[in-house]
Amino acid sequence: MGMMSYQGSRYPIPRGCGVNPASRIEDPYKKLFDAHTMKTISGHVVKIDQVPEFTFGLQMRVTVLTDTKEFLLVYLGPAFYVEGPWQAKHLKLGDQITVSGSQVTVSGSRS
């Protein structure tokens, strides 16, 4: 897939996901987004998984080995949306990505 830019996407906390259209429940990650902690990173995708969120369903998460040799978790948004058939491209292991978003610490883990 080569270089893929997720400018304006979530690093690692989703911004703009808003409400799950299926359940109309507010996205819990939206509350964590802080424009003052915006950061941009680049690196390679080393893991792709889906994480269950109690009130919102499965969230798509990737682990990125940054260009500075640091592993960071990046939450991209609801799995139904990120992996949906309407997406032009899907992430694969080894893809080079650039991600911008809000960096936060949750339960002692920085993501």
Side-chain angles (χ1 to χ4, degrees):
M1 179 154 46
M3 183 67 157
M4 180 174 240
S5 177
Y6 281 91
Q7 300 297 329
S9 283
R10 284 80 51 184
Y11 165 74
I13 302 302
R15 173 174 67 160
C17 287
V19 175
N20 179 340
S23 66
R24 306 314 267 174
I25 296 173
E26 186 174 352
D27 182 351
Y29 294 107
K30 183 178 177 183
K31 295 176 184 176
L32 296 175
F33 178 81
D34 180 356
H36 296 98
T37 63
M38 288 294 291
K39 184 175 179 181
T40 298
I41 59 115
S42 293
H44 289 88
V45 175
V46 295
K47 184 177 181 182
I48 301 170
D49 57 353
Q50 295 181 6
V51 181
E53 170 58 50
F54 179 71
T55 60
F56 195 65
L58 291 175
Q59 297 290 310
M60 182 61 68
R61 178 178 72 182
V62 296
T63 303
V64 176
L65 176 58
T66 68
D67 293 342
T68 59
K69 305 302 181 210
E70 181 178 13
F71 289 98
L72 290 176
L73 297 174
V74 178
Y75 290 82
L76 300 175
F80 75 88
Y81 179 78
V82 176
E83 285 294 307
W86 47 82
Q87 298 297 337
K89 296 183 179 182
H90 292 102
L91 290 172
K92 299 184 304 287
L93 292 177
D95 281 351
Q96 172 73 27
I97 64 172
T98 298
V99 184
S100 293
S102 176
Q103 185 171 14
V104 299
T105 300
V106 177
S107 301
S109 296
R110 188 173 71 162
S111 33

